Amino acid sequence: GYAGDVYLLFQRLDTDNSGKLTLDEIDEDAAKLWLTFKQWCVASFESPLDMVYRLSRGKDYLSEEDFKLRCRLFDWKDGQEEWLWKGVALHNEEYVRPEMLKWMALGKEEHREKEELKKLAMKVHAVKIRERQMLAQALPQFKAFLKRKCGGSLLA
């Protein structure tokens, strides 16, 4: 085991002082790979059930062998499937079922929420553009109205 001061080691690794160690604090490259993989899963599959079903060739569970062979068929390009399987099968399970992929369900929900927020922001932006256009169209008419009513001199 480790012969040094474990508490001091933990403090040095816990760079954000959260009291928890995260993958990016221990291995930044592994954290980037895992994040890229999670994003790929969310973009490539509709749900954990869809992921398991498609990667396993229609079964309700996913084996390590199917995972390693079939990820590339679904356009996973970054490799490291053996390492990634250890993240998918958290407790060294022989098979993974959809309900075990909570991280993917959460990622999918976050993705849906972000997409809804983007749609809402686009609608708000479109309304603001229309309002600016309407104001730009109304301004000359308003100026002409003021000139007619006030005769060219207006005191504020």
Side-chain angles (χ1 to χ4, degrees), residues 4-19:
D5 185 342
V6 176
Y7 182 74
L8 183 60
L9 176 63
F10 183 90
Q11 283 184 318
R12 288 189 177 152
L13 290 172
D14 184 20
T15 56
D16 63 0
N17 296 314
S18 66

Side-chain angles (χ1 to χ4, degrees), residues 138-155:
L139 186 60
Q141 294 170 349
F142 182 66
K143 285 181 180 180
F145 168 78
L146 288 177
K147 282 184 183 179
R148 282 193 312 274
K149 282 290 192 185
C150 301
S153 62
L154 182 66
L155 298 174

Side-chain angles (χ1 to χ4, degrees), residues 14-128:
D14 184 20
T15 56
D16 63 0
N17 296 314
S18 66
K20 300 175 185 174
L21 291 181
T22 57
L23 187 56
D24 61 315
E25 291 172 317
I26 298 168
D27 187 338
E28 194 173 323
D29 291 334
K32 287 177 185 175
L33 178 65
W34 182 248
L35 177 62
T36 301
F37 175 72
K38 288 188 340 182
Q39 290 169 338
W40 172 80
C41 290
V42 166
S44 300
F45 305 103
E46 291 301 313
S47 65
L49 178 63
D50 181 51
M51 178 179 166
V52 168
Y53 185 81
R54 290 170 65 195
L55 290 179
S56 70
R57 302 175 212 172
K59 296 178 233 148
D60 64 347
Y61 61 91
L62 178 60
S63 70
E64 182 176 2
E65 181 182 342
D66 280 338
F67 176 82
K68 289 178 185 177
L69 291 172
R70 306 229 348 130
C71 278
R72 290 189 185 250
L73 292 174
F74 286 88
D75 213 24
W76 171 251
K77 294 182 179 0
D78 290 359
Q80 302 291 324
E81 291 87 354
E82 189 166 330
W83 185 86
L84 290 167
W85 175 255
K86 292 175 184 175
V88 171
L90 282 176
H91 304 289
N92 277 342
E93 297 93 351
E94 190 175 338
Y95 299 102
V96 171
R97 298 193 181 279
E99 60 272 12
M100 300 162 84
L101 302 176
K102 289 180 179 24
W103 55 266
M104 193 209 170
L106 288 171
K108 200 67 180 170
E109 185 59 33
E110 288 172 7
H111 180 72
R112 281 188 200 106
E113 288 173 4
K114 284 179 186 177
E115 290 302 311
E116 289 300 317
L117 288 173
K118 281 183 194 176
K119 287 178 187 175
L120 180 60
M122 296 281 284
K123 286 179 183 177
V124 168
H125 184 66
V127 167
K128 286 182 179 181

